[in-house]
Amino acid sequence: MKTESNQDEASYLFNVDVLVKGRSNVEALQFLLNLLSQNEQIADSRIQSGIELGNLIEAALYLKKQSAANGSSDAAAKLAEKFSKKN
């Protein structure tokens, strides 16, 4: 007869804010992801905020929604003009 141990592992969920130093957001994110993936005790992780990637996509989706609401079709031109001034 097999007896079960009281030492069975369970999973626990923690919500944590972490401040990571780096030369850029991408470098800090890479460090954090490496840190999380190096330990087998961490079964899963999810980055909720702090990622500054995809801003162009978000802006395009926002302008598309605005142009649909206003009946305008020049959202892409506005987006291109906005980002060409930054560079």
Side-chain angles (χ1 to χ4, degrees):
M1 182 170 151
K2 189 174 184 179
T3 59
E4 290 188 30
S5 170
N6 288 338
Q7 302 277 340
D8 288 342
E9 288 187 0
S11 295
Y12 303 94
L13 179 63
F14 298 95
N15 291 313
V16 179
D17 290 327
V18 179
L19 181 62
V20 180
K21 293 180 182 179
R23 288 179 281 200
S24 68
N25 180 271
V26 173
E27 183 182 277
L29 177 60
Q30 181 179 8
F31 174 81
L32 179 60
L33 291 173
N34 287 336
L35 183 68
L36 291 171
S37 66
Q38 288 176 358
N39 193 322
E40 64 185 40
Q41 292 297 104
I42 298 177
D44 194 14
S45 62
R46 176 173 50 190
I47 307 294
Q48 298 279 22
S49 65
I51 299 174
E52 294 181 5
L53 305 174
N55 290 335
L56 185 58
I57 294 170
E58 289 296 322
L61 292 173
Y62 173 78
L63 287 175
K64 183 176 180 179
K65 185 187 289 186
Q66 290 297 316
S67 67
N70 297 335
S72 173
S73 62
D74 62 344
K78 289 179 185 176
L79 181 64
E81 181 181 336
K82 177 181 176 183
F83 283 97
S84 67
K85 288 180 182 177
K86 286 187 174 183
N87 296 329

